[in-house]
Amino acid sequence: MKKSTLKILKITLPLLLGVFLVWYSLSQISIVELVAYFKKADYTYIFLGMFFGLLSHLSRAYRWQFQLEPLGYKIKLGNSIMAVFATYLINYTIPRAGEVARASILTNYEGVPFEKGFGTIVAERIADMIVMLGIIAVTLFLQFDFIYGFLVEKFDPTKIGVALAGLMLLVVFFLRFIKKSPSKIAIKIKAFVGGLVEGALSIFKMKKKWPFIFHTLFIWSMYVLMFYITTFSLQEMSDIPFAAILIGFIAASFSIAATNGGIGSYPEAIVLVFTSLFFIPEDPSRAFGWIIWSSQTLLIIVFGGLSLIYLPIFNRKKAS
């Protein structure tokens, strides 16, 4: 009974949060004003951003082949591309259901056992997480003066030092506790961290590790470029500092995990960063958030929908 309740909550809570955030976002800007921003936007940059998004998805599909080859499976690129787009589309309905569907597509059309296909997806997510952490680290390094200045302005430097020292002590005690504790939670955390390390190291054991690393970096470069180039679609966003681009991108990326496909949360994450950290006016920030989210969502709906329709046709032709 508890398990079924948890499953229902996992599905309904992100949906409810998404609905609430959409309502909140649209209550902060009138529909008429939002439509006006969409009308005056320069669609050359929006379509260019969509193109970079498309390149990242195609690269992800191509990269997947490198992971499956050592397992003895050479899958068709068409199936890989359509499985990736189907994943993104299905994730708009039930969080993380797309990953299960992606592994199932391989099982149905390529004969790859579900657990092996799903294992490669988990390893892929680990690689993406490492790159995301790298982007955060680079942002902290490049924008150290800005971030430090902001913290000093908002908080007492002595309190910041005490808080950081306290945080470091907490981390040390936590790691020691996890290492020695026989509890189930500690065992799960150790297994998760061990899996992250093992997944990261497995990349370097891959036969085509350098092409895999190249495509991983390319995927995330396209994500950042997609975000950056779309800012030029609105005149109010065209001269914002690069720090806003990086921090806004990071916040928006994390927001996707909060609701289905980032609905509601994606635009509001951008507003939070742009207005509170960089004092960019709220209305154009919110409009930009909706423009970039809508354009990338449209891309997923079109290609994801076509993929789900064409998958059985493509494989029927190949079979005959």
Side-chain angles (χ1 to χ4, degrees):
M1 190 69 179
K2 285 183 179 179
K3 285 184 179 179
S4 61
T5 305
L6 282 171
K7 282 183 181 178
I8 292 169
L9 288 173
K10 282 180 182 178
I11 295 170
T12 56
L13 284 179
L15 281 170
L16 291 172
L17 179 60
V19 170
F20 169 75
L21 287 172
V22 169
W23 168 83
Y24 173 78
S25 185
L26 296 180
S27 70
Q28 301 301 305
I29 184 171
S30 69
I31 298 291
V32 174
E33 193 174 356
L34 186 60
V35 170
Y37 275 108
F38 269 82
K39 283 182 177 178
K40 74 174 186 178
D42 188 338
Y43 279 82
T44 301
Y45 293 108
I46 293 174
F47 288 131
L48 198 54
M50 291 173 74
F51 175 69
F52 290 135
L54 177 62
L55 287 181
S56 71
H57 303 322
L58 294 176
S59 181
R60 182 177 294 278
Y62 190 68
R63 182 186 68 171
W64 198 15
Q65 294 181 306
F66 300 144
Q67 295 174 274
L68 290 160
E69 279 181 18
L71 301 177
Y73 300 98
K74 189 169 177 59
I75 66 169
K76 301 179 189 76
L77 180 60
N79 279 333
S80 184
I81 291 170
M82 288 186 280
V84 166
F85 278 111
T87 297
Y88 289 127
L89 182 61
I90 292 168
N91 276 339
Y92 277 85
T93 57
I94 302 173
R96 299 300 150 212
E99 280 71 16
V100 175
R102 184 173 161 192
S104 300
I105 288 169
L106 271 199
T107 302
N108 292 334
Y109 296 121
E110 294 284 358
V112 179
F114 177 84
E115 63 278 3
K116 289 188 178 181
F118 193 76
T120 60
I121 295 168
V122 172
E124 174 187 285
R125 292 292 181 240
I126 292 169
D128 289 335
M129 189 187 297
I130 291 167
V131 176
M132 188 62 180
L133 291 172
I135 292 172
I136 293 170
V138 169
T139 302
L140 289 172
F141 177 76
L142 293 177
Q143 305 300 331
F144 177 80
D145 290 340
F146 169 79
I147 294 168
Y148 179 76
F150 174 79
L151 290 173
V152 168
E153 184 184 338
K154 296 289 181 182
F155 307 99
D156 185 347
T158 308
K159 289 180 180 178
I160 294 173
V162 171
L164 287 173
L167 182 62
M168 287 178 68
L169 281 172
L170 255 167
V171 170
V172 170
F173 282 122
F174 177 73
L175 291 174
R176 290 190 60 160
F177 168 75
I178 292 300
K179 189 176 180 180
K180 295 180 180 179
S181 175
S183 68
K184 287 183 180 179
I185 296 174
I187 292 168
K188 283 184 179 180
I189 292 172
K190 279 190 279 189
F192 175 73
V193 174
L196 285 179
V197 174
E198 187 180 352
L201 292 176
S202 69
I203 293 168
F204 294 96
K205 297 174 185 176
M206 203 180 295
K207 189 178 179 182
K208 295 182 178 179
K209 58 180 175 292
W210 294 116
F212 179 89
I213 292 169
F214 168 78
H215 277 278
T216 301
L217 295 174
F218 178 81
I219 289 165
W220 284 89
S221 298
M222 290 301 102
Y223 285 158
V224 175
L225 193 55
M226 170 268 294
F227 192 94
Y228 173 64
I229 207 71
T230 309
T231 60
F232 292 99
S233 64
L234 289 180
Q235 191 175 355
E236 295 88 344
M237 296 284 112
S238 59
D239 59 349
I240 63 174
F242 194 62
I245 301 292
L246 289 174
I247 299 172
F249 169 77
I250 292 167
S253 298
F254 278 115
S255 74
I256 294 173
T259 60
N260 300 27
I263 183 168
S265 62
Y266 195 96
E268 287 309 303
I270 291 172
V271 173
L272 184 66
V273 170
F274 282 8
T275 59
S276 62
L277 295 183
F278 297 94
F279 309 106
I280 299 168
E282 192 170 316
D283 283 353
S285 297
R286 184 166 279 111
F288 166 72
W290 277 106
I291 286 170
I292 190 169
W293 181 84
S294 299
S295 61
Q296 295 303 316
T297 298
L298 178 63
L299 181 75
I300 295 302
I301 290 172
V302 172
F303 283 93
L306 289 173
S307 296
L308 288 173
I309 293 167
Y310 191 62
L311 261 168
I313 300 169
F314 174 78
N315 285 282
R316 186 175 67 236
K317 284 183 177 179
K318 292 292 179 182
S320 60

